[in-house]
Amino acid sequence: MHNNIENIQQYIAEERQRLINHPLYQNISCIEDLKRFTEGHVYAVWDFMSLLKFLQIKLTCTTLPWVPSDNPDTRYLINEIVLAEESDVSEGGKRLSHYELYLEAMKDLGADYSQIENFISRIKSGKTISDCIAGMNIDDRIKEFLRFTFDCIDSGKAHIVVSAFTFGREDLIPDMFTSILKRLKIQFPDTGLDGLIYYFQRHIDLDGDEHGPLAMRMIQEIAGNDENKWLEMQEVAKDSLIKRIALWDAIYEGLK
């Protein structure tokens, strides 16, 4: 099964390199650039939670009466990730999801978070996710990124979603952004960067030490020896990275 994961990693290597070497990183050179970045990136921070909650619904028991789900190891793995992503601790000691941590960091930075809050309000009011996405005044590539996430979820297949969740969400990029943020903090010491630095540092710590290995174990548990699942996951992994590159392109072009 380890060979199957290596096959996926080789299959997506080109897209992953394009993501790692994207010109966006070198073009965040001032606080205004950083604000524009967060205003586009926040959608990827938010929709990650829907991938995660789908996996929790699919792989653990979230209905009544409770019955034990089929695989105790997978149940543990997903609940561990949910705990940290949905109920982490802020720098000030508050319990917040990572989306809420990011929103707090945007507020400290002075970024415009009205679009994402209006989007969430429309979801809370009962509108469908497709209508909410269609109604946003944002770059179509960001909309496509969101649509792809919910297409994966709508498949109803755990192996599809776990592939998007694991391979489609970068593991090196937080490290790059932390370096950029620390450089900007030196240049602009009084501009509220602590929250963003904390957010990215949390992802480095959690993804590298805990969530990355947990997600890989979860993939092995879900796909097992089913060759068709591994092949489908391979395609979803590549498509996930292509959508992420397009989202980065949209943000990058918005900085020019």
Side-chain angles (χ1 to χ4, degrees):
M1 279 188 282
H2 285 293
N3 286 339
N4 285 316
I5 288 177
E6 288 172 10
N7 288 342
I8 292 176
Q9 289 170 333
Q10 289 174 8
Y11 188 70
I12 64 175
E14 181 181 337
E15 287 74 21
R16 195 165 181 275
Q17 280 304 118
R18 283 174 60 197
L19 196 53
I20 290 168
N21 297 318
H22 199 283
L24 171 64
Y25 316 125
Q26 283 72 43
N27 280 270
I28 298 175
S29 58
C30 66
I31 296 301
E32 288 306 311
D33 290 343
L34 191 58
K35 289 178 184 178
R36 299 295 86 76
F37 166 75
T38 63
E39 289 159 12
H41 179 235
V42 67
Y43 295 99
V45 175
W46 170 78
D47 81 334
F48 173 83
M49 286 302 302
S50 290
L51 293 170
L52 179 58
K53 297 304 281 188
F54 170 89
L55 291 171
Q56 188 181 35
I57 290 165
K58 196 77 172 175
L59 303 175
T60 74
C61 182
T62 58
T63 56
L64 296 174
W66 179 87
V67 294
S69 54
D70 291 340
N71 193 312
D73 285 338
T74 305
R75 184 196 314 158
Y76 164 77
L77 295 173
I78 195 65
N79 280 332
E80 274 290 300
I81 297 173
V82 168
L83 178 63
E85 293 286 345
E86 195 170 31
S87 305
D88 206 354
V89 182
S90 72
E91 255 189 317
K94 287 194 298 183
R95 284 288 171 190
L96 294 171
S97 68
H98 281 189
Y99 164 72
E100 290 165 310
L101 279 177
Y102 199 85
L103 209 60
E104 290 290 315
M106 287 181 71
K107 292 174 184 177
D108 290 344
L109 184 64
D112 181 3
Y113 53 91
S114 60
Q115 277 262 37
I116 184 72
E117 289 212 316
N118 289 338
F119 175 67
I120 299 297
S121 293
R122 290 196 294 273
I123 292 172
K124 287 180 176 178
S125 75
K127 293 186 185 300
T128 65
I129 185 63
S130 58
D131 284 347
C132 290
I133 293 170
M136 285 192 295
N137 183 27
I138 57 172
D139 192 289
D140 284 344
R141 288 166 290 188
I142 300 177
K143 292 183 181 182
E144 283 302 311
F145 181 88
L146 293 171
R147 288 191 186 104
F148 178 78
T149 293
F150 286 93
D151 284 346
C152 290
I153 289 168
D154 288 344
S155 76
K157 298 176 180 179
H159 69 283
I160 294 293
V161 174
V162 82
S163 179
F165 177 87
T166 303
F167 297 108
R169 303 292 165 152
E170 74 288 354
D171 56 356
L172 295 178
I173 286 162
D175 201 5
M176 295 178 181
F177 277 118
T178 302
S179 299
I180 292 167
L181 289 168
K182 287 179 178 175
R183 172 172 54 77
L184 289 176
K185 187 177 179 183
I186 293 169
Q187 290 177 290
F188 309 98
D190 301 315
T191 43
L193 290 174
D194 288 350
L196 271 182
I197 292 172
Y198 180 79
Y199 168 84
F200 282 116
Q201 191 61 53
R202 285 298 291 156
H203 270 267
I204 293 167
D205 295 342
L206 287 170
D207 291 350
D209 298 339
E210 299 175 36
H211 293 180
L214 289 177
M216 289 299 177
R217 283 172 57 193
M218 190 162 55
I219 279 177
Q220 291 171 359
E221 294 283 351
I222 290 169
N225 294 312
D226 189 324
E227 186 176 344
N228 286 332
K229 285 183 178 179
W230 284 106
L231 290 173
E232 283 187 311
M233 287 198 299
Q234 182 172 276
E235 293 304 324
V236 169
K238 178 167 282 200
D239 288 343
S240 296
L241 292 179
I242 289 170
K243 297 296 183 187
R244 167 69 73 159
I245 291 165
L247 181 143
W248 260 204
D249 289 344
I251 296 172
Y252 169 60
E253 290 167 22
L255 299 183
K256 294 178 181 178

